[in-house]
Amino acid sequence: MKFDHLQGSIVAMITPFHQDGSVNFEVLTQLLERQIAGGTDAILTLGTTGEYSTMSHEEDASVVAHTVKVVNGRVPVIVGSGSNCTATQIEKSIEYQNMGADALLLIAPYYNKANAEGMYRHFAETADRVSIPCILYNVPGRTGCSIPVSVVEKLAEHPNIAGIKEASGDMSYVMKIAHCAGPDFALYSGNDDITIPLMSVGGSGVISVYANVMPEMCHQIAADWLAGNHEKAVANQLKYLKLMNDLFLEVNPIPVKAAMNMIGLNVGPMRLPLCEMGEANAAVLRNSLKEAGLL
């Protein structure tokens, strides 16, 4: 499917597992169909929420192949191909492009970090090697480094870099890069709790954890803002803000997978080093699901 300037709700898919830890492709199919039926505007697979960091390369590829097959061009499929090794990122990006991905999500080089020039080359050289759009992924809480504003500005001019998933939660940073947003460079919120604030400065939507739980509402919030129904969008953002926040009571994706299991979606466990939620946090999350009408 052609990737244009994508707007709206992009779900950051979880990866369902059997109790033995293997990928549950039957449930993955059900989840993908649920997202499409709920109006989700695009699917992101192999993001942070998808636990790609504990999956083998072969498992990653099998999840991509399955996702592309099930979605079958109905919405764009974005694949996380990032690595802290640029050569590996390029290799994976080419592979996923050849498997039918519509766009790629490229993470900042975690652990080894890099200076501004190295950061620029990490993204630009990957984008040079593929023909599908690339989205930058700024998540310093995970990577230990933020993509410098100057680097975002430079990369926004690259013909094959289509936007940024901004997941720092830092609205000051968002404001500094907001001027880059336009027809050729999209700004997506990577934090559900500030989707509307980010969209108010030119953002195109959200790459969402919350959408795993409430795909229709996540889509509606973004769609209302884009349609100019700002009061309604803000009201729903605030109405479900507690649930959005409680999906981060513990490190993602522990709470969202717990929530999905609570509402009967049977997505299975996490892989170590992630494990089940503590009882106190699970009780808080369960109450938020009840308040949202999901239990």
Side-chain angles (χ1 to χ4, degrees), residues 84 108-116 118-120 122 140 143-146 148:
N84 65 335
Y110 48 88
Y111 188 73
N112 44 14
K113 298 185 179 181
N115 61 18
M119 189 85 72
Y120 171 77
H122 173 75
T143 62
C145 58
S146 184

Side-chain angles (χ1 to χ4, degrees), residues 217 220-221 224-225 228-238:
M217 181 50 64
Q220 192 63 51
I221 290 169
D224 279 333
W225 183 270
N229 301 323
H230 293 170
E231 187 174 341
K232 184 179 176 184
V234 171
N236 279 321
Q237 169 96 70
L238 296 176

Side-chain angles (χ1 to χ4, degrees), residues 12-13 33 42 79 121 146 159 164 201 211 268 293:
M13 288 288 296
E33 293 293 351
V79 180
R121 294 184 192 178
S146 184
I164 184 169
V201 295

Side-chain angles (χ1 to χ4, degrees), residues 100-118:
D102 296 297
L104 301 165
L105 184 71
L106 309 178
I107 199 166
Y110 48 88
Y111 188 73
N112 44 14
K113 298 185 179 181
N115 61 18
E117 179 61 22

Side-chain angles (χ1 to χ4, degrees), residues 121-192:
R121 294 184 192 178
H122 173 75
F123 292 112
E125 292 189 13
T126 304
D128 287 342
R129 295 289 300 276
V130 294
S131 58
I132 56 176
C134 298
I135 299 170
L136 313 176
Y137 184 12
N138 188 52
V139 57
R142 294 274 184 173
T143 62
C145 58
S146 184
I147 306 173
V149 171
S150 62
V151 173
V152 175
E153 291 170 338
K154 191 175 179 182
L155 289 168
E157 298 176 359
H158 191 291
N160 206 32
I161 293 180
I164 184 169
K165 175 184 178 182
E166 208 305 287
S168 70
D170 181 353
M171 281 303 297
S172 177
Y173 179 92
V174 170
M175 297 293 284
K176 290 173 184 174
I177 64 170
H179 68 92
C180 296
D184 299 318
F185 189 81
L187 174 59
Y188 301 107
S189 178
N191 299 77
D192 286 295

Side-chain angles (χ1 to χ4, degrees), residues 44-47 52 78-86 88-94 96-97 103-107 126 130 134:
L44 167 66
T45 190
L46 301 188
Y52 81 95
I78 305 165
V79 180
S81 59
S83 172
N84 65 335
C85 170
T86 306
T88 299
Q89 177 170 271
I90 291 170
E91 178 185 352
K92 291 169 72 176
S93 297
I94 292 170
Y96 299 151
Q97 172 183 272
L104 301 165
L105 184 71
L106 309 178
I107 199 166
T126 304
V130 294
C134 298

Side-chain angles (χ1 to χ4, degrees), residues 32-54:
L32 290 166
E33 293 293 351
R34 178 174 179 264
Q35 288 295 324
I36 293 171
T40 293
D41 297 286
I43 303 290
L44 167 66
T45 190
L46 301 188
T48 303
T49 312
E51 295 180 78
Y52 81 95
S53 58
T54 60

